[in-house]
Amino acid sequence: METATTPETASHSQRQVEAAADPADAAGPRASCQREADGPSQQLLPSIEEHPKIWLPRALRQTYIRKVGDTVNLLIPFQGKPKPQTTWTHNGSALDNSRVSVRNGEQDSILFIREARRADSGCYQLCVRLGGLQATATINILVIEKPGPPQSIKLVDVWGSNATLEWTPPQDTGNTALLGYTVQKADRKSGLWFTVLERYHRTSCIVSDLIVGNSYAFRVFAENQCGLSETAPVTADLAHIQKAATVYKTKGFAQRDLSEAPKFTQPLADCTTITGYDTQLFCCVRASPRPKIIWLKNKMDLQGNPKYRALSHLGICSLEIRKPSPFDGGIYTCKAINALGEASVDCRVDVKGKDGELVPMSPPPTIQERHKLRWKRSLLCMRCLLQ
């Protein structure tokens, strides 16, 4: 097998041989012969079959992050033959054996921490030596925990349905950068907290859309990779959302004119009745203002005649003919009058006898006959007064 030595090892062996030469020279030829016999065995050095090399896992080439209390278990494979010498350091110093344990195998080295602390963060270096050759690997470990709460929070201003808040960053960020702040609000009536902003990066904000008439308290959490801070400061003052006085302004509008001249929407219908049976006539009228209804028979006013009963309600007009006789047949007229005009509708009423024969209706009286009737009535009234 081929023998390979490093220059450093060779020079060191040469110095040992030269140092042992002086006593041998003083001892004479016998010591010189002994030195010649032992010289070749002292110059033999162990051969290096594999140079030292470290295979660093991909996950450890970046910062290795763990939470406080987690276990750190790093297995670092390497090569080298014969078995090389391995050494671990933390930030350039030896490891604390009370907290960190190391197990070295033929082809790997294991670094183990049972419960990580923030003090375990730092730069860990593994060195593998074989003869005068060596290989090193550096691992950055970061142990983090939840951040502390913001130092204080203050209610700056309240206007309308908005509130302005300010706070100061936490003293302890948990050994890592903050991801932001979480702002929450709580109504004094319910006492329930609701999230308003998440991962907000500034130290001041405006909370909007608050309910009028309620009072609110606010709190802020700090957040990093481990989560939200355990506690959060709460505003000392409450934000009272006052109800502003509302002034209603009525808009002027033009009054709509609903005035309308009378108009019959349903006319009278012709009918045939039997002597002695009550009969009713119906019609419908629309008008504004309310019209005056006048019923006529053969163009004679029926107002005040007890034989007829006239009704009008919500535009429905009716005329009841009580126990009609053959003389009640004729043309009936309903007339509606108001300030804007008038309208009228007609119908024909025929009266039959009990045997079903149609009784001819009497013709309308002439003007002379009307005067004679009025004269006779006046004479009867005078006789009654004289008696």
Side-chain angles (χ1 to χ4, degrees), residues 232-283:
V234 182
T235 53
D237 301 327
L238 295 176
H240 302 284
I241 309 302
Q242 302 293 339
K243 184 176 182 180
T246 305
V247 179
Y248 295 96
K249 296 182 179 179
T250 58
K251 296 182 179 180
F253 59 94
Q255 183 69 30
R256 183 178 178 183
D257 187 10
L258 301 177
S259 300
E260 184 180 3
K263 180 181 179 181
F264 282 92
T265 59
Q266 181 66 35
L268 291 172
D270 296 339
C271 68
T272 301
T273 184
I274 299 175
T275 303
Y277 291 90
D278 294 348
T279 301
Q280 288 186 338
L281 305 178
F282 293 96
C283 63

Side-chain angles (χ1 to χ4, degrees), residues 157-206:
D157 190 15
V158 178
W159 79 100
S161 59
N162 308 296
T164 303
L165 305 175
E166 287 185 357
W167 60 89
T168 54
Q171 293 181 348
D172 183 10
T173 61
N175 205 26
T176 184
L178 292 178
L179 297 179
Y181 300 95
T182 297
V183 182
Q184 294 183 344
K185 67 177 180 180
D187 183 5
R188 186 178 63 177
K189 297 179 181 178
S190 63
L192 301 178
W193 291 96
F194 296 93
T195 300
V196 179
L197 298 171
E198 288 183 326
R199 295 194 175 182
Y200 187 76
H201 295 285
R202 298 181 181 179
T203 56
S204 63
C205 71
I206 298 175

Side-chain angles (χ1 to χ4, degrees), residues 365-375:
T366 62
I367 297 177
Q368 295 178 355
E369 291 177 348
R370 292 178 185 176
H371 288 300
K372 289 180 180 181
L373 289 174
R374 292 177 182 176
W375 177 252

Side-chain angles (χ1 to χ4, degrees), residues 33-291:
C33 293
Q34 185 68 24
R35 183 187 63 185
E36 291 177 0
D38 297 341
S41 63
Q42 290 178 358
Q43 291 180 357
L44 293 176
L45 297 175
S47 62
I48 300 177
E49 298 182 11
E50 288 182 355
H51 288 191
K53 186 175 182 180
I54 299 175
W55 305 96
L56 189 64
R58 184 181 299 272
L60 300 179
R61 296 176 188 176
Q62 299 177 352
T63 302
Y64 184 66
I65 300 176
R66 303 295 291 171
K67 295 180 181 180
V68 172
D70 290 352
T71 300
V72 178
N73 189 9
L74 305 180
L75 187 148
I76 312 298
F78 59 81
Q79 72 175 19
K81 198 171 184 182
K83 180 181 179 180
Q85 180 184 4
T86 58
T87 305
W88 283 90
T89 59
H90 178 208
N91 294 332
S93 304
L95 298 179
D96 184 2
N97 295 328
S98 63
R99 292 196 41 75
V100 185
S101 60
V102 176
R103 186 190 67 81
N104 297 317
E106 294 292 334
Q107 295 181 348
D108 57 40
S109 179
I110 298 176
L111 176 72
F112 181 77
I113 304 175
R114 186 174 298 276
E115 293 183 0
R117 298 178 183 175
R118 291 175 59 172
D120 297 326
S121 302
C123 179
Y124 289 79
Q125 190 175 55
L126 171 62
C127 181
V128 178
R129 289 189 178 90
L130 183 59
L133 303 176
Q134 69 176 12
T136 60
T138 302
I139 303 169
N140 292 316
I141 298 178
L142 181 63
V143 182
I144 63 176
E145 62 181 346
K146 291 184 178 180
Q151 299 183 42
S152 62
I153 182 173
K154 181 181 179 182
L155 179 64
V156 179
D157 190 15
V158 178
W159 79 100
S161 59
N162 308 296
T164 303
L165 305 175
E166 287 185 357
W167 60 89
T168 54
Q171 293 181 348
D172 183 10
T173 61
N175 205 26
T176 184
L178 292 178
L179 297 179
Y181 300 95
T182 297
V183 182
Q184 294 183 344
K185 67 177 180 180
D187 183 5
R188 186 178 63 177
K189 297 179 181 178
S190 63
L192 301 178
W193 291 96
F194 296 93
T195 300
V196 179
L197 298 171
E198 288 183 326
R199 295 194 175 182
Y200 187 76
H201 295 285
R202 298 181 181 179
T203 56
S204 63
C205 71
I206 298 175
V207 181
S208 304
D209 299 330
L210 301 177
I211 299 176
V212 175
N214 291 351
S215 299
Y216 291 90
F218 302 92
R219 66 182 181 183
V220 178
F221 291 89
E223 183 180 5
N224 62 6
Q225 292 182 1
C226 291
L228 299 178
S229 57
E230 297 292 342
T231 59
V234 182
T235 53
D237 301 327
L238 295 176
H240 302 284
I241 309 302
Q242 302 293 339
K243 184 176 182 180
T246 305
V247 179
Y248 295 96
K249 296 182 179 179
T250 58
K251 296 182 179 180
F253 59 94
Q255 183 69 30
R256 183 178 178 183
D257 187 10
L258 301 177
S259 300
E260 184 180 3
K263 180 181 179 181
F264 282 92
T265 59
Q266 181 66 35
L268 291 172
D270 296 339
C271 68
T272 301
T273 184
I274 299 175
T275 303
Y277 291 90
D278 294 348
T279 301
Q280 288 186 338
L281 305 178
F282 293 96
C283 63
C284 297
V285 66
R286 183 179 66 192
S288 179
R290 183 177 178 180

